[in-house]
Amino acid sequence: MPFDVASVRGLFPSLGDGWIHFDAPAGQQLPDAVITAMSAGARAMPVDPRGVSPQSAAAADAQQTARRAVADLLDADPDGVVLGASRSGLVSALVDALPMSVWDGEVVLSRLDDEENIVPWLRGARRHGASVRWAQVDVSDGTLPTAQYGELIGRRTTLVAVTLASSVTGAIVDVAQIAGYARSVGALLVVDASSAAPYVRLSLEELGADVVLVSAARWGGPRIAAMAFADPERIERMARVSMDPVSTGPARLEAEPVPGPQLTGLVASIEHLAGLDIDAAGKRSQRLDSSLEGAYQYVQRLTQYLVNSLTQLGRVRVIGARVHRIPVVSFVVDGVSAEKVCLRLADNGISALPDRPSRALAQIGVDDAGGAVTIGLGPYALPYDVDQLVRVLGSFG
């Protein structure tokens, strides 16, 4: 059946605050099911999973349940799912765990990525004396041309880190093509799929990635991240990061266990994604197929309406108005700083994001225009919300 946005909105208690939430890149609103699950987890599992008490056993079970849920989301093996407090923490753990041979070559990074998939790699390269090469953004539309990887990736390349979709321009990257280049030289490919995960059905095999990162806050989950390996056996060949000297499997790369309440919230958030289509049936992976497809089609139509409406405003310039994107858009208002634009929007009950830290936006040159405003649509957004945004922006003349 068609995506039922009215039913979906009923799942989010915070939408009763009267605000229009266009700040999804900073974290979507929490559905009631996630809030309830985290509260229940806090009562039932105040300890970590390494003991022998009933509460410890429940925490250990929650840990395995969370791995299975992430595996369903990413079409991965639960034995290859590493859990952590943040993307940056997980990437830092990966930096510490990789063999020294990785740092004997070249690392290829992208300026389209979030800092979480850039800074830890830069620190690792600096620590070990590895060289870094950069994939550049097309400043005309905020995309990442993949043809450049044919020249960037060579026989000395040992690692490639790239995003699947930008959290500022929304541009979707052809990761499969990059994977082909990386595979041809045996380089490790690490893909940050956090921005795409709320909207795009993901598969490690189809992406061709060796490691995929996601952040649950991007789809209405708790502040927790996950890192999935296409080959779980790779983890056993890496240095242990865990403080537990006898840890095995994915726990080897988890410095400390994730608290139980976060784990229950993570599972509930993935169940929430699978339930966006109330008629979806079957196993969770099948329900995710149907629900994410319906949500994606809805927000894509709404994003197109948003972009078309913004381009009708004389002083608004959309970055990459015609690119293939997730529902994230950045724009500048001529003569007005991003902070002032967002303050005007806030005065009218609209949440938006000014001056997101982004090497892509810096390369495009938005600083000279006073910064860019970034907005992102959750599956609870309405055409009316877009109309209200455009009305306020139109007041700038």
Side-chain angles (χ1 to χ4, degrees):
M1 64 175 293
F3 183 76
D4 188 349
V5 65
S7 293
V8 169
R9 286 179 63 84
L11 305 175
F12 296 87
S14 60
L15 297 184
D17 63 6
W19 279 71
I20 294 172
H21 296 279
F22 277 162
D23 50 1
Q28 286 196 24
Q29 300 300 298
L30 291 178
D32 185 63
V34 173
I35 298 170
T36 301
M38 292 178 68
S39 177
R43 292 193 297 271
M45 292 172 280
V47 299
D48 71 33
R50 292 175 291 194
V52 296
S53 70
Q55 290 182 334
S56 290
D61 183 66
Q63 190 178 65
Q64 295 309 311
T65 301
R67 295 195 206 283
R68 289 193 294 270
V70 173
D72 283 345
L73 181 68
L74 301 178
D75 190 22
D77 186 333
D79 290 339
V81 174
V82 180
L83 304 169
S86 66
R87 283 179 295 162
S88 60
L90 288 175
V91 177
S92 295
L94 188 54
V95 167
D96 290 340
L98 286 173
M100 286 301 300
S101 57
V102 170
W103 305 107
D104 289 337
E106 292 181 340
V107 175
V108 177
L109 304 178
S110 150
R111 297 196 189 278
L112 193 65
D113 276 61
D114 290 341
E115 293 298 284
E116 288 84 350
N117 200 30
I118 293 178
V119 173
W121 296 118
L122 289 178
R123 289 174 177 168
R126 184 166 56 248
R127 184 189 316 153
H128 298 291
S131 58
V132 176
R133 305 189 75 184
W134 288 95
Q136 305 295 339
V137 173
D138 185 333
V139 297
S140 68
D141 59 11
T143 61
L144 186 71
T146 53
Q148 65 184 306
Y149 282 88
E151 298 181 0
L152 288 170
I153 297 175
R155 59 182 180 81
R156 295 196 66 248
T157 305
T158 53
L159 183 138
V160 180
V162 68
T163 186
L164 178 55
S166 170
S167 67
V168 289
T169 71
I172 297 175
V173 178
D174 184 0
V175 166
Q177 182 177 352
I178 297 173
Y181 293 129
R183 193 180 306 113
S184 68
V185 297
L188 185 76
L189 176 61
V190 180
V191 175
D192 182 2
S194 297
S195 295
Y199 315 103
V200 178
R201 191 66 174 103
L202 299 172
S203 167
L204 260 73
E205 182 177 357
E206 292 182 5
L207 287 174
D210 297 297
V211 183
V212 170
L213 294 155
V214 289
S215 175
R218 294 294 178 91
W219 63 72
R223 298 284 169 173
I224 181 175
M227 178 169 64
F229 285 74
D231 178 11
E233 294 184 2
R234 185 188 292 270
I235 297 174
E236 299 297 336
R237 300 193 294 269
M238 293 184 176
R240 181 182 283 107
V241 175
S242 173
M243 302 298 170
D244 181 354
V246 296
S247 58
T248 59
R252 288 171 53 87
L253 299 187
E254 297 168 357
E256 295 185 15
V258 174
Q262 300 292 91
L263 297 173
T264 56
L266 173 62
V267 175
S269 72
I270 295 174
E271 283 289 347
H272 160 76
L273 284 180
L276 290 176
D277 180 352
I278 59 176
D279 289 336
K283 296 180 179 180
R284 182 165 52 205
S285 58
Q286 295 171 311
R287 290 183 283 119
L288 282 165
D289 289 342
S290 176
S291 291
L292 288 176
E293 175 64 21
Y296 179 74
Q297 294 299 328
Y298 172 74
V299 293
Q300 281 294 95
R301 291 193 298 271
L302 193 57
T303 303
Q304 184 176 3
Y305 176 58
L306 166 67
V307 172
N308 289 340
S309 299
L310 291 178
T311 55
Q312 302 304 310
L313 300 175
R315 294 181 65 180
V316 174
R317 291 186 289 126
V318 177
I319 297 172
R322 304 304 172 198
V323 304
H324 180 44
R325 56 161 34 95
I326 59 170
V328 173
V329 179
S330 287
F331 61 88
V332 297
V333 178
D334 289 339
V336 186
S337 70
E339 183 177 0
K340 288 184 178 179
V341 172
C342 288
L343 287 173
R344 176 79 64 88
L345 291 172
D347 287 342
N348 288 271
I350 302 172
S351 297
L353 302 169
D355 295 327
R356 294 277 288 171
S358 167
R359 298 177 191 233
L361 292 179
Q363 187 178 348
I364 291 170
V366 300
D367 292 344
D368 297 335
V373 176
T374 300
I375 58 177
L377 310 183
Y380 39 74
L382 296 168
Y384 167 82
D385 299 337
V386 173
D387 292 338
Q388 290 294 95
L389 173 76
V390 172
R391 179 187 63 79
V392 176
L393 293 175
S395 68
F396 286 105

